[in-house]
Amino acid sequence: MIDSTITARAAEHNLERLPALEEDYGHLGRQLARRGIAIDQLLERALRFRVAVPSWAMGSGGTRFGRFPIAGEPRVVFERLEDAAQVSALIRVTDGVSLHFPWDLPERHADLKSAIAASGLQVDSTNSNTFQDQPDQCHSYRFGSLTHTDAAVRRQAIEHNTQCLGLAEYLGARAHTVWIGDGGNFPGQVHARRAFERYVDSLRQIYARLPDGCRLFLEHKLFEPAFYSTVVNDWGTSYVAAKELGDRAYCLVDLGHHAPNVNVEQIVARLIHLQKLGGFHFNDSCCGDDDLDAGSIKPFQLFLIFNELVDADREGVVGFDPAFMLDQSHNVTDPIESLMTSAIELVRAFVQAHAVDREALAHYQATNDAAMALQTLKQAFTTDVSPILGMARYRAGGAIDPVAAYRASGYRRRKAAERPAVAARAVPI
Ligand code: RM4
Ligand code: MN
Ligand code: MN
């Protein structure tokens, strides 16, 4: 399924770019050695890093004001998997794909399973959709799903999640993520306490059907589509629900789902402490749930989040095993390019976090030396680890310069001919 022109262009480019990469890698290696860091160990870390891509981000995104599709974007799950396979081939860290149902539901489940196998990808998580109505469903989610006042609507939403869990088991997903849009647009519309009680009650029924080896992730979001009182609006709410459910329920942190200026890295630290950090939806934002490319607006925040993660990992915190995923909406870029560069920004932050002098940081924290503590973090954050990232991609069989190789391959242009726009099922992102 990997496009042979992409592979060929990447191989040609790599030949041209390798001498400069080796020079830069050697120089960075000497720089890091002066700080007591072995570059090969950072390379090892980079090679082991993994982040899953969301199937629903493979097509152009949009806002409620409009969507501007690009020619050659995928129309069905099989084409989304095909594009995900190219992303993975070029950058070699995204061999997991997350699926969204019913958007990714083909007529026969077996077709999906074989397409996943053929793509060389694995299913990372399944995601349910009770924030939209589907043409064939009995009850509307206009006024909520898992927290709806009508038990029949709740049952329908629970049933949908149960079907997702069946697919999770069948496809070997490691997690199922629930995000609901439930809430109120006006004061008084929703009974705040009852809505949360109904949420937990519905989740209990979903949790009871969780397949072996699969975790349940609860995703919070400050607002939208509900504009006044979202039921699962913050990490505290999702923590309480996860705790009530049991050991296999965790909180998922989508970076864009907080109020502006919220200290997300501290939320991460809290959830690690509580042993309830399930995973992430990485993206970036300026104003709200913008779903922009990870690291494009606040790269320092991304680094600080990875700083917490690396710290916990090195300390061996019990039960610490967060799942990484991108969750973005590509409104003005080619999704393949955005996903590649975003995944690379994650590896960058991860490697930089491994370059933090933790002994020095601990000393400055113990002695209340705020200036030097920040400097210690900044030293790692300002280290240009690009040669490590490029070398990791090269060693793993990917492209030293993935976007250049992708553009030179003409993949999207060829897909535009193969995938004429149809009025088929729209894939809202
Ligand atoms: C939501 C949320 C969910 C995603 C949907 C499509 O804002 O981030 O993770 O499933 O969008
Ligand atoms: Mn999300
Ligand atoms: Mn979101």
Side-chain angles (χ1 to χ4, degrees):
M1 220 192 214
I2 295 170
D3 187 86
S4 57
T5 322
I6 285 188
T7 327
R9 286 299 92 80
E12 285 162 24
H13 279 191
N14 283 356
L15 264 183
E16 289 162 21
R17 287 161 169 75
L18 188 59
L21 175 63
E22 277 174 338
E23 203 180 307
D24 295 347
Y25 187 81
H27 177 72
L28 179 59
R30 289 189 291 279
Q31 244 186 315
L32 290 168
R34 285 200 294 275
R35 283 158 48 186
I37 301 171
I39 193 168
D40 289 348
Q41 281 181 13
L42 293 184
L43 180 68
E44 272 304 304
R45 304 277 183 193
L47 281 163
R48 283 207 299 268
F49 185 85
R50 289 292 178 275
V51 54
V53 292
S55 70
W56 60 97
M58 292 295 159
S60 297
T63 67
R64 62 205 166 102
F65 302 104
R67 189 176 91 88
F68 302 94
I70 57 168
E73 67 180 29
R75 301 159 302 176
V76 288
V77 62
F78 305 110
E79 294 173 353
R80 293 194 274 278
L81 289 170
E82 189 185 8
D83 288 4
Q86 315 313 322
V87 171
S88 173
L90 284 163
I91 61 170
R92 301 281 167 173
V93 289
T94 57
D95 44 19
V97 63
S98 289
L99 301 174
H100 221 306
F101 298 117
W103 293 339
D104 288 323
L105 209 54
E107 266 167 34
R108 292 168 356 135
H109 293 182
D111 294 343
L112 181 55
K113 195 171 190 162
S114 47
I116 290 160
S119 69
L121 305 166
Q122 297 121 39
V123 177
D124 185 69
S125 70
T126 54
N127 296 256
S128 56
N129 180 345
T130 61
F131 46 85
Q132 286 177 322
D133 284 349
Q134 305 303 324
D136 51 352
Q137 77 189 42
C138 293
H139 305 284
S140 171
Y141 295 134
R142 185 165 190 222
F143 293 110
S145 58
L146 293 178
T147 78
H148 201 284
T149 47
D150 183 345
V153 185
R154 299 201 296 277
R155 257 198 309 280
Q156 178 181 280
I158 293 164
E159 190 43 40
H160 167 62
N161 275 280
T162 307
Q163 279 164 5
C164 290
L165 291 179
L167 283 155
E169 185 168 28
Y170 177 65
L171 301 170
R174 296 168 55 233
H176 174 64
T177 300
V178 179
W179 173 72
I180 55 168
D182 297 29
N185 274 21
F186 296 96
Q189 182 189 335
V190 170
H191 189 291
R193 276 185 296 124
R194 299 280 173 273
F196 183 68
E197 283 162 18
R198 291 193 290 265
Y199 174 63
V200 175
D201 184 67
S202 296
L203 282 178
R204 270 207 190 93
Q205 300 177 55
I206 297 167
Y207 185 80
R209 288 146 177 182
L210 204 58
D212 287 347
C214 189
R215 298 189 288 170
L216 184 67
F217 292 166
L218 310 180
E219 180 177 1
H220 63 273
K221 178 172 171 175
L222 178 65
F223 81 110
E224 199 196 17
F227 287 121
Y228 169 67
S229 60
T230 293
V231 179
V232 190
N233 63 315
D234 63 11
W235 71 273
T237 304
S238 79
Y239 170 72
V240 171
K243 187 151 170 48
E244 290 208 13
L245 292 178
D247 288 350
R248 292 199 291 149
Y250 292 84
C251 304
L252 181 138
V253 178
D254 182 314
L255 267 59
H257 288 192
H258 308 91
N261 301 329
V262 160
N263 184 337
V264 179
E265 54 274 26
Q266 196 170 29
I267 293 175
V268 171
R270 288 287 178 277
L271 288 172
I272 294 170
H273 169 80
L274 297 163
Q275 296 182 20
K276 280 293 185 192
L277 179 68
F280 287 90
H281 280 179
F282 285 105
N283 51 49
D284 212 340
S285 61
C286 178
C287 302
D289 186 27
D290 306 346
D291 282 312
L292 300 176
D293 295 6
S296 57
I297 311 270
K298 293 173 288 193
F300 192 46
Q301 180 193 57
L302 189 62
F303 163 79
L304 292 172
I305 289 171
F306 274 99
N307 180 49
E308 293 301 327
L309 298 174
V310 167
D311 181 80
D313 188 37
R314 290 169 72 116
E315 207 177 287
V317 172
V318 187
F320 177 76
D321 182 22
F324 299 150
M325 208 195 82
L326 294 168
D327 184 10
Q328 305 181 160
S329 177
H330 310 114
N331 304 344
V332 295
T333 55
D334 181 322
I336 290 185
E337 294 185 9
S338 273
L339 288 166
M340 291 196 300
T341 46
S342 299
I344 291 168
E345 287 315 293
L346 261 60
V347 195
R348 184 188 308 282
F350 175 70
V351 170
Q352 286 173 328
H354 272 289
V356 170
D357 184 341
R358 289 193 186 271
E359 232 175 86
L361 182 61
H363 168 73
Y364 295 132
Q365 288 174 343
T367 54
N368 301 307
D369 193 337
M372 287 309 292
L374 174 63
Q375 280 315 306
T376 306
L377 290 179
K378 279 288 179 74
Q379 183 188 43
F381 175 65
T382 55
T383 305
D384 182 4
V385 297
S386 303
I388 299 174
L389 311 184
M391 190 58 85
R393 285 193 297 277
Y394 175 70
R395 296 263 177 96
I400 294 173
D401 187 344
V403 173
Y406 170 71
R407 289 194 173 188
S409 77
Y411 177 80
R412 190 65 80 189
R413 278 194 305 282
R414 272 175 290 118
K415 292 296 142 186
E418 275 173 39
R419 303 169 176 174
V422 287
R425 188 171 58 177
V427 180
I429 306 180

mmCIF file with all atom_site columns, all heavy atoms in Angstrom, residues 56 127 177 179 219-220 252-255 257 281 283 289 291 325 327, ligand 2:
data_model
loop_
_atom_site.group_PDB
_atom_site.id
_atom_site.type_symbol
_atom_site.label_atom_id
_atom_site.label_alt_id
_atom_site.label_comp_id
_atom_site.label_asym_id
_atom_site.label_entity_id
_atom_site.label_seq_id
_atom_site.pdbx_PDB_ins_code
_atom_site.Cartn_x
_atom_site.Cartn_y
_atom_site.Cartn_z
_atom_site.occupancy
_atom_site.B_iso_or_equiv
_atom_site.pdbx_formal_charge
_atom_site.auth_seq_id
_atom_site.auth_comp_id
_atom_site.auth_asym_id
_atom_site.auth_atom_id
_atom_site.pdbx_PDB_model_num
ATOM   1   N  N   . TRP A 1 56  ? -9.836  10.489 11.106 1.00 0.00 ? 56  TRP A N   1
ATOM   2   C  CA  . TRP A 1 56  ? -10.736 11.597 10.753 1.00 0.00 ? 56  TRP A CA  1
ATOM   3   C  C   . TRP A 1 56  ? -9.992  12.883 10.409 1.00 0.00 ? 56  TRP A C   1
ATOM   4   O  O   . TRP A 1 56  ? -10.615 13.856 9.997  1.00 0.00 ? 56  TRP A O   1
ATOM   5   C  CB  . TRP A 1 56  ? -11.760 11.846 11.861 1.00 0.00 ? 56  TRP A CB  1
ATOM   6   C  CG  . TRP A 1 56  ? -11.218 12.204 13.215 1.00 0.00 ? 56  TRP A CG  1
ATOM   7   C  CD1 . TRP A 1 56  ? -11.088 13.472 13.729 1.00 0.00 ? 56  TRP A CD1 1
ATOM   8   C  CD2 . TRP A 1 56  ? -10.800 11.318 14.250 1.00 0.00 ? 56  TRP A CD2 1
ATOM   9   N  NE1 . TRP A 1 56  ? -10.603 13.409 15.010 1.00 0.00 ? 56  TRP A NE1 1
ATOM   10  C  CE2 . TRP A 1 56  ? -10.413 12.106 15.363 1.00 0.00 ? 56  TRP A CE2 1
ATOM   11  C  CE3 . TRP A 1 56  ? -10.706 9.922  14.369 1.00 0.00 ? 56  TRP A CE3 1
ATOM   12  C  CZ2 . TRP A 1 56  ? -9.944  11.552 16.558 1.00 0.00 ? 56  TRP A CZ2 1
ATOM   13  C  CZ3 . TRP A 1 56  ? -10.220 9.374  15.552 1.00 0.00 ? 56  TRP A CZ3 1
ATOM   14  C  CH2 . TRP A 1 56  ? -9.851  10.179 16.620 1.00 0.00 ? 56  TRP A CH2 1
ATOM   15  N  N   . ASN A 1 127 ? -13.149 5.319  18.644 1.00 0.00 ? 127 ASN A N   1
ATOM   16  C  CA  . ASN A 1 127 ? -13.795 6.515  19.183 1.00 0.00 ? 127 ASN A CA  1
ATOM   17  C  C   . ASN A 1 127 ? -15.259 6.488  18.800 1.00 0.00 ? 127 ASN A C   1
ATOM   18  O  O   . ASN A 1 127 ? -15.599 6.170  17.653 1.00 0.00 ? 127 ASN A O   1
ATOM   19  C  CB  . ASN A 1 127 ? -13.152 7.771  18.595 1.00 0.00 ? 127 ASN A CB  1
ATOM   20  C  CG  . ASN A 1 127 ? -11.694 7.909  18.994 1.00 0.00 ? 127 ASN A CG  1
ATOM   21  O  OD1 . ASN A 1 127 ? -11.347 8.703  19.843 1.00 0.00 ? 127 ASN A OD1 1
ATOM   22  N  ND2 . ASN A 1 127 ? -10.827 7.106  18.388 1.00 0.00 ? 127 ASN A ND2 1
ATOM   23  N  N   . THR A 1 177 ? -12.145 5.586  23.295 1.00 0.00 ? 177 THR A N   1
ATOM   24  C  CA  . THR A 1 177 ? -12.276 6.943  23.841 1.00 0.00 ? 177 THR A CA  1
ATOM   25  C  C   . THR A 1 177 ? -13.704 7.447  23.685 1.00 0.00 ? 177 THR A C   1
ATOM   26  O  O   . THR A 1 177 ? -14.296 7.343  22.609 1.00 0.00 ? 177 THR A O   1
ATOM   27  C  CB  . THR A 1 177 ? -11.306 7.905  23.124 1.00 0.00 ? 177 THR A CB  1
ATOM   28  O  OG1 . THR A 1 177 ? -9.979  7.431  23.322 1.00 0.00 ? 177 THR A OG1 1
ATOM   29  C  CG2 . THR A 1 177 ? -11.419 9.317  23.692 1.00 0.00 ? 177 THR A CG2 1
ATOM   30  N  N   . TRP A 1 179 ? -15.895 10.786 23.956 1.00 0.00 ? 179 TRP A N   1
ATOM   31  C  CA  . TRP A 1 179 ? -16.085 12.238 24.095 1.00 0.00 ? 179 TRP A CA  1
ATOM   32  C  C   . TRP A 1 179 ? -17.522 12.545 23.731 1.00 0.00 ? 179 TRP A C   1
ATOM   33  O  O   . TRP A 1 179 ? -17.997 12.115 22.679 1.00 0.00 ? 179 TRP A O   1
ATOM   34  C  CB  . TRP A 1 179 ? -15.141 13.036 23.183 1.00 0.00 ? 179 TRP A CB  1
ATOM   35  C  CG  . TRP A 1 179 ? -15.514 14.496 23.246 1.00 0.00 ? 179 TRP A CG  1
ATOM   36  C  CD1 . TRP A 1 179 ? -15.311 15.339 24.298 1.00 0.00 ? 179 TRP A CD1 1
ATOM   37  C  CD2 . TRP A 1 179 ? -16.232 15.250 22.268 1.00 0.00 ? 179 TRP A CD2 1
ATOM   38  N  NE1 . TRP A 1 179 ? -15.863 16.568 24.032 1.00 0.00 ? 179 TRP A NE1 1
ATOM   39  C  CE2 . TRP A 1 179 ? -16.433 16.543 22.793 1.00 0.00 ? 179 TRP A CE2 1
ATOM   40  C  CE3 . TRP A 1 179 ? -16.747 14.950 21.002 1.00 0.00 ? 179 TRP A CE3 1
ATOM   41  C  CZ2 . TRP A 1 179 ? -17.108 17.542 22.096 1.00 0.00 ? 179 TRP A CZ2 1
ATOM   42  C  CZ3 . TRP A 1 179 ? -17.428 15.945 20.298 1.00 0.00 ? 179 TRP A CZ3 1
ATOM   43  C  CH2 . TRP A 1 179 ? -17.594 17.219 20.843 1.00 0.00 ? 179 TRP A CH2 1
ATOM   44  N  N   . GLU A 1 219 ? -12.694 11.768 27.679 1.00 0.00 ? 219 GLU A N   1
ATOM   45  C  CA  . GLU A 1 219 ? -12.115 13.022 27.180 1.00 0.00 ? 219 GLU A CA  1
ATOM   46  C  C   . GLU A 1 219 ? -12.986 14.201 27.599 1.00 0.00 ? 219 GLU A C   1
ATOM   47  O  O   . GLU A 1 219 ? -14.183 14.236 27.305 1.00 0.00 ? 219 GLU A O   1
ATOM   48  C  CB  . GLU A 1 219 ? -12.019 12.945 25.645 1.00 0.00 ? 219 GLU A CB  1
ATOM   49  C  CG  . GLU A 1 219 ? -11.428 14.182 25.010 1.00 0.00 ? 219 GLU A CG  1
ATOM   50  C  CD  . GLU A 1 219 ? -11.282 14.036 23.486 1.00 0.00 ? 219 GLU A CD  1
ATOM   51  O  OE1 . GLU A 1 219 ? -11.665 12.982 22.938 1.00 0.00 ? 219 GLU A OE1 1
ATOM   52  O  OE2 . GLU A 1 219 ? -10.788 14.993 22.864 1.00 0.00 ? 219 GLU A OE2 1
ATOM   53  N  N   . HIS A 1 220 ? -12.382 15.154 28.262 1.00 0.00 ? 220 HIS A N   1
ATOM   54  C  CA  . HIS A 1 220 ? -13.131 16.349 28.670 1.00 0.00 ? 220 HIS A CA  1
ATOM   55  C  C   . HIS A 1 220 ? -12.930 17.456 27.645 1.00 0.00 ? 220 HIS A C   1
ATOM   56  O  O   . HIS A 1 220 ? -12.017 17.419 26.834 1.00 0.00 ? 220 HIS A O   1
ATOM   57  C  CB  . HIS A 1 220 ? -12.685 16.824 30.053 1.00 0.00 ? 220 HIS A CB  1
ATOM   58  C  CG  . HIS A 1 220 ? -11.242 17.256 30.122 1.00 0.00 ? 220 HIS A CG  1
ATOM   59  N  ND1 . HIS A 1 220 ? -10.202 16.386 30.369 1.00 0.00 ? 220 HIS A ND1 1
ATOM   60  C  CD2 . HIS A 1 220 ? -10.662 18.467 29.958 1.00 0.00 ? 220 HIS A CD2 1
ATOM   61  C  CE1 . HIS A 1 220 ? -9.057  17.041 30.371 1.00 0.00 ? 220 HIS A CE1 1
ATOM   62  N  NE2 . HIS A 1 220 ? -9.301  18.312 30.115 1.00 0.00 ? 220 HIS A NE2 1
ATOM   63  N  N   . LEU A 1 252 ? -8.350  11.334 29.376 1.00 0.00 ? 252 LEU A N   1
ATOM   64  C  CA  . LEU A 1 252 ? -7.602  11.689 28.177 1.00 0.00 ? 252 LEU A CA  1
ATOM   65  C  C   . LEU A 1 252 ? -7.536  13.211 28.083 1.00 0.00 ? 252 LEU A C   1
ATOM   66  O  O   . LEU A 1 252 ? -8.540  13.897 28.251 1.00 0.00 ? 252 LEU A O   1
ATOM   67  C  CB  . LEU A 1 252 ? -8.276  11.109 26.926 1.00 0.00 ? 252 LEU A CB  1
ATOM   68  C  CG  . LEU A 1 252 ? -7.532  11.407 25.616 1.00 0.00 ? 252 LEU A CG  1
ATOM   69  C  CD1 . LEU A 1 252 ? -7.509  10.177 24.719 1.00 0.00 ? 252 LEU A CD1 1
ATOM   70  C  CD2 . LEU A 1 252 ? -8.164  12.576 24.863 1.00 0.00 ? 252 LEU A CD2 1
ATOM   71  N  N   . VAL A 1 253 ? -6.334  13.703 27.819 1.00 0.00 ? 253 VAL A N   1
ATOM   72  C  CA  . VAL A 1 253 ? -6.124  15.151 27.739 1.00 0.00 ? 253 VAL A CA  1
ATOM   73  C  C   . VAL A 1 253 ? -5.953  15.559 26.281 1.00 0.00 ? 253 VAL A C   1
ATOM   74  O  O   . VAL A 1 253 ? -4.980  15.185 25.631 1.00 0.00 ? 253 VAL A O   1
ATOM   75  C  CB  . VAL A 1 253 ? -4.862  15.571 28.545 1.00 0.00 ? 253 VAL A CB  1
ATOM   76  C  CG1 . VAL A 1 253 ? -4.620  17.068 28.422 1.00 0.00 ? 253 VAL A CG1 1
ATOM   77  C  CG2 . VAL A 1 253 ? -5.003  15.164 29.997 1.00 0.00 ? 253 VAL A CG2 1
ATOM   78  N  N   . ASP A 1 254 ? -6.943  16.312 25.795 1.00 0.00 ? 254 ASP A N   1
ATOM   79  C  CA  . ASP A 1 254 ? -6.811  16.911 24.468 1.00 0.00 ? 254 ASP A CA  1
ATOM   80  C  C   . ASP A 1 254 ? -6.312  18.332 24.739 1.00 0.00 ? 254 ASP A C   1
ATOM   81  O  O   . ASP A 1 254 ? -6.960  19.105 25.459 1.00 0.00 ? 254 ASP A O   1
ATOM   82  C  CB  . ASP A 1 254 ? -8.177  16.914 23.770 1.00 0.00 ? 254 ASP A CB  1
ATOM   83  C  CG  . ASP A 1 254 ? -8.130  17.476 22.361 1.00 0.00 ? 254 ASP A CG  1
ATOM   84  O  OD1 . ASP A 1 254 ? -7.510  18.542 22.183 1.00 0.00 ? 254 ASP A OD1 1
ATOM   85  O  OD2 . ASP A 1 254 ? -8.726  16.884 21.444 1.00 0.00 ? 254 ASP A OD2 1
ATOM   86  N  N   . LEU A 1 255 ? -5.173  18.672 24.169 1.00 0.00 ? 255 LEU A N   1
ATOM   87  C  CA  . LEU A 1 255 ? -4.535  19.941 24.532 1.00 0.00 ? 255 LEU A CA  1
ATOM   88  C  C   . LEU A 1 255 ? -5.424  21.162 24.284 1.00 0.00 ? 255 LEU A C   1
ATOM   89  O  O   . LEU A 1 255 ? -5.344  22.148 25.010 1.00 0.00 ? 255 LEU A O   1
ATOM   90  C  CB  . LEU A 1 255 ? -3.206  20.115 23.761 1.00 0.00 ? 255 LEU A CB  1
ATOM   91  C  CG  . LEU A 1 255 ? -1.962  19.618 24.486 1.00 0.00 ? 255 LEU A CG  1
ATOM   92  C  CD1 . LEU A 1 255 ? -2.050  18.149 24.820 1.00 0.00 ? 255 LEU A CD1 1
ATOM   93  C  CD2 . LEU A 1 255 ? -0.729  19.879 23.655 1.00 0.00 ? 255 LEU A CD2 1
ATOM   94  N  N   . HIS A 1 257 ? -8.588  21.479 24.715 1.00 0.00 ? 257 HIS A N   1
ATOM   95  C  CA  . HIS A 1 257 ? -9.881  21.452 25.398 1.00 0.00 ? 257 HIS A CA  1
ATOM   96  C  C   . HIS A 1 257 ? -9.891  22.177 26.739 1.00 0.00 ? 257 HIS A C   1
ATOM   97  O  O   . HIS A 1 257 ? -10.578 21.775 27.671 1.00 0.00 ? 257 HIS A O   1
ATOM   98  C  CB  . HIS A 1 257 ? -10.344 20.007 25.569 1.00 0.00 ? 257 HIS A CB  1
ATOM   99  C  CG  . HIS A 1 257 ? -10.783 19.391 24.282 1.00 0.00 ? 257 HIS A CG  1
ATOM   100 N  ND1 . HIS A 1 257 ? -11.462 18.207 24.205 1.00 0.00 ? 257 HIS A ND1 1
ATOM   101 C  CD2 . HIS A 1 257 ? -10.646 19.814 23.005 1.00 0.00 ? 257 HIS A CD2 1
ATOM   102 C  CE1 . HIS A 1 257 ? -11.715 17.908 22.938 1.00 0.00 ? 257 HIS A CE1 1
ATOM   103 N  NE2 . HIS A 1 257 ? -11.217 18.881 22.196 1.00 0.00 ? 257 HIS A NE2 1
ATOM   104 N  N   . HIS A 1 281 ? -4.647  13.750 23.175 1.00 0.00 ? 281 HIS A N   1
ATOM   105 C  CA  . HIS A 1 281 ? -4.913  14.168 21.812 1.00 0.00 ? 281 HIS A CA  1
ATOM   106 C  C   . HIS A 1 281 ? -4.062  15.416 21.627 1.00 0.00 ? 281 HIS A C   1
ATOM   107 O  O   . HIS A 1 281 ? -4.382  16.471 22.182 1.00 0.00 ? 281 HIS A O   1
ATOM   108 C  CB  . HIS A 1 281 ? -6.392  14.504 21.613 1.00 0.00 ? 281 HIS A CB  1
ATOM   109 C  CG  . HIS A 1 281 ? -7.246  13.291 21.411 1.00 0.00 ? 281 HIS A CG  1
ATOM   110 N  ND1 . HIS A 1 281 ? -8.603  13.355 21.242 1.00 0.00 ? 281 HIS A ND1 1
ATOM   111 C  CD2 . HIS A 1 281 ? -6.905  11.975 21.316 1.00 0.00 ? 281 HIS A CD2 1
ATOM   112 C  CE1 . HIS A 1 281 ? -9.082  12.133 21.061 1.00 0.00 ? 281 HIS A CE1 1
ATOM   113 N  NE2 . HIS A 1 281 ? -8.071  11.277 21.114 1.00 0.00 ? 281 HIS A NE2 1
ATOM   114 N  N   . ASN A 1 283 ? -2.488  18.590 19.718 1.00 0.00 ? 283 ASN A N   1
ATOM   115 C  CA  . ASN A 1 283 ? -2.798  19.599 18.702 1.00 0.00 ? 283 ASN A CA  1
ATOM   116 C  C   . ASN A 1 283 ? -2.325  20.921 19.296 1.00 0.00 ? 283 ASN A C   1
ATOM   117 O  O   . ASN A 1 283 ? -1.701  20.916 20.364 1.00 0.00 ? 283 ASN A O   1
ATOM   118 C  CB  . ASN A 1 283 ? -4.303  19.631 18.383 1.00 0.00 ? 283 ASN A CB  1
ATOM   119 C  CG  . ASN A 1 283 ? -5.156  19.740 19.633 1.00 0.00 ? 283 ASN A CG  1
ATOM   120 O  OD1 . ASN A 1 283 ? -4.917  20.581 20.487 1.00 0.00 ? 283 ASN A OD1 1
ATOM   121 N  ND2 . ASN A 1 283 ? -6.143  18.868 19.747 1.00 0.00 ? 283 ASN A ND2 1
ATOM   122 N  N   . ASP A 1 289 ? -10.684 25.401 20.940 1.00 0.00 ? 289 ASP A N   1
ATOM   123 C  CA  . ASP A 1 289 ? -10.422 24.059 20.409 1.00 0.00 ? 289 ASP A CA  1
ATOM   124 C  C   . ASP A 1 289 ? -10.072 24.202 18.928 1.00 0.00 ? 289 ASP A C   1
ATOM   125 O  O   . ASP A 1 289 ? -10.791 23.756 18.052 1.00 0.00 ? 289 ASP A O   1
ATOM   126 C  CB  . ASP A 1 289 ? -11.681 23.197 20.600 1.00 0.00 ? 289 ASP A CB  1
ATOM   127 C  CG  . ASP A 1 289 ? -11.448 21.749 20.201 1.00 0.00 ? 289 ASP A CG  1
ATOM   128 O  OD1 . ASP A 1 289 ? -10.300 21.295 20.266 1.00 0.00 ? 289 ASP A OD1 1
ATOM   129 O  OD2 . ASP A 1 289 ? -12.422 21.069 19.821 1.00 0.00 ? 289 ASP A OD2 1
ATOM   130 N  N   . ASP A 1 291 ? -7.582  22.991 17.124 1.00 0.00 ? 291 ASP A N   1
ATOM   131 C  CA  . ASP A 1 291 ? -7.092  21.805 16.412 1.00 0.00 ? 291 ASP A CA  1
ATOM   132 C  C   . ASP A 1 291 ? -6.011  22.124 15.387 1.00 0.00 ? 291 ASP A C   1
ATOM   133 O  O   . ASP A 1 291 ? -5.965  21.541 14.297 1.00 0.00 ? 291 ASP A O   1
ATOM   134 C  CB  . ASP A 1 291 ? -8.255  21.063 15.731 1.00 0.00 ? 291 ASP A CB  1
ATOM   135 C  CG  . ASP A 1 291 ? -9.049  20.233 16.715 1.00 0.00 ? 291 ASP A CG  1
ATOM   136 O  OD1 . ASP A 1 291 ? -8.426  19.500 17.491 1.00 0.00 ? 291 ASP A OD1 1
ATOM   137 O  OD2 . ASP A 1 291 ? -10.287 20.331 16.724 1.00 0.00 ? 291 ASP A OD2 1
ATOM   138 N  N   . MET A 1 325 ? -1.744  10.366 20.748 1.00 0.00 ? 325 MET A N   1
ATOM   139 C  CA  . MET A 1 325 ? -2.451  10.471 19.478 1.00 0.00 ? 325 MET A CA  1
ATOM   140 C  C   . MET A 1 325 ? -2.522  11.927 19.061 1.00 0.00 ? 325 MET A C   1
ATOM   141 O  O   . MET A 1 325 ? -2.540  12.815 19.909 1.00 0.00 ? 325 MET A O   1
ATOM   142 C  CB  . MET A 1 325 ? -3.862  9.921  19.650 1.00 0.00 ? 325 MET A CB  1
ATOM   143 C  CG  . MET A 1 325 ? -4.458  9.351  18.391 1.00 0.00 ? 325 MET A CG  1
ATOM   144 S  SD  . MET A 1 325 ? -6.223  9.127  18.578 1.00 0.00 ? 325 MET A SD  1
ATOM   145 C  CE  . MET A 1 325 ? -6.782  10.767 18.250 1.00 0.00 ? 325 MET A CE  1
ATOM   146 N  N   . ASP A 1 327 ? -4.843  14.831 17.307 1.00 0.00 ? 327 ASP A N   1
ATOM   147 C  CA  . ASP A 1 327 ? -6.252  15.098 16.984 1.00 0.00 ? 327 ASP A CA  1
ATOM   148 C  C   . ASP A 1 327 ? -6.307  16.525 16.458 1.00 0.00 ? 327 ASP A C   1
ATOM   149 O  O   . ASP A 1 327 ? -6.332  17.477 17.229 1.00 0.00 ? 327 ASP A O   1
ATOM   150 C  CB  . ASP A 1 327 ? -7.139  14.936 18.225 1.00 0.00 ? 327 ASP A CB  1
ATOM   151 C  CG  . ASP A 1 327 ? -8.614  15.112 17.872 1.00 0.00 ? 327 ASP A CG  1
ATOM   152 O  OD1 . ASP A 1 327 ? -8.937  15.166 16.665 1.00 0.00 ? 327 ASP A OD1 1
ATOM   153 O  OD2 . ASP A 1 327 ? -9.444  15.197 18.796 1.00 0.00 ? 327 ASP A OD2 1
HETATM 154 MN MN  . MN  B 2 .   ? -9.898  15.134 20.873 1.00 0.00 ? 2   MN  B MN  1
#
